[in-house]
Amino acid sequence: SDVYKRQVQPDSGAFPELIRETQGGLICRADDAVSLADDLERVIGDPELREKLSLRGMNSVRQSYQAGAMAARFEELMGPMAS
């Protein structure tokens, strides 16, 4: 299922930062099929873990990445520069 693919990401690019920020997934070693398979097996075989990762990721994205939250953070960062 696609949900498993979204919950397991490689340790390259922006994925580690995104997973750490949202706590919505597992990070496997890039270009390591065994690492990917192990993490997919964990997510597929553990419904509680899968649900916990899904809820964490969804809630984090809703709280931090919606337009209003992003605009407020932008204003917070830019406020001192605008004065």
Side-chain angles (χ1 to χ4, degrees), residues 2 4 6 10 12 17 21 31 34 36 39-40 42 44 48-49 54 57 59 61 65-66 68 71-73 79 82:
D2 285 342
Y4 307 134
R6 290 189 299 270
S12 63
E17 181 181 353
E21 180 74 24
D31 300 321
V34 173
L36 174 61
D39 283 346
L40 284 171
R42 271 185 70 198
I44 292 168
E48 288 180 30
L49 174 63
S54 293
N59 290 335
V61 167
Y65 297 101
Q66 285 187 346
R73 270 203 317 259

Side-chain angles (χ1 to χ4, degrees), residues 22-75:
T22 65
Q23 297 184 358
L26 303 176
I27 301 171
C28 67
R29 289 184 303 279
D31 300 321
D32 184 337
V34 173
S35 176
L36 174 61
D38 288 347
D39 283 346
L40 284 171
E41 188 175 322
R42 271 185 70 198
V43 172
I44 292 168
D46 188 340
E48 288 180 30
L49 174 63
R50 188 170 57 246
E51 181 71 13
K52 182 169 65 173
L53 293 174
S54 293
L55 289 174
R56 279 185 190 164
M58 182 177 58
N59 290 335
S60 178
V61 167
R62 284 183 177 161
Q63 290 174 359
S64 300
Y65 297 101
Q66 285 187 346
M70 292 177 68
R73 270 203 317 259
F74 180 78
E75 286 180 6

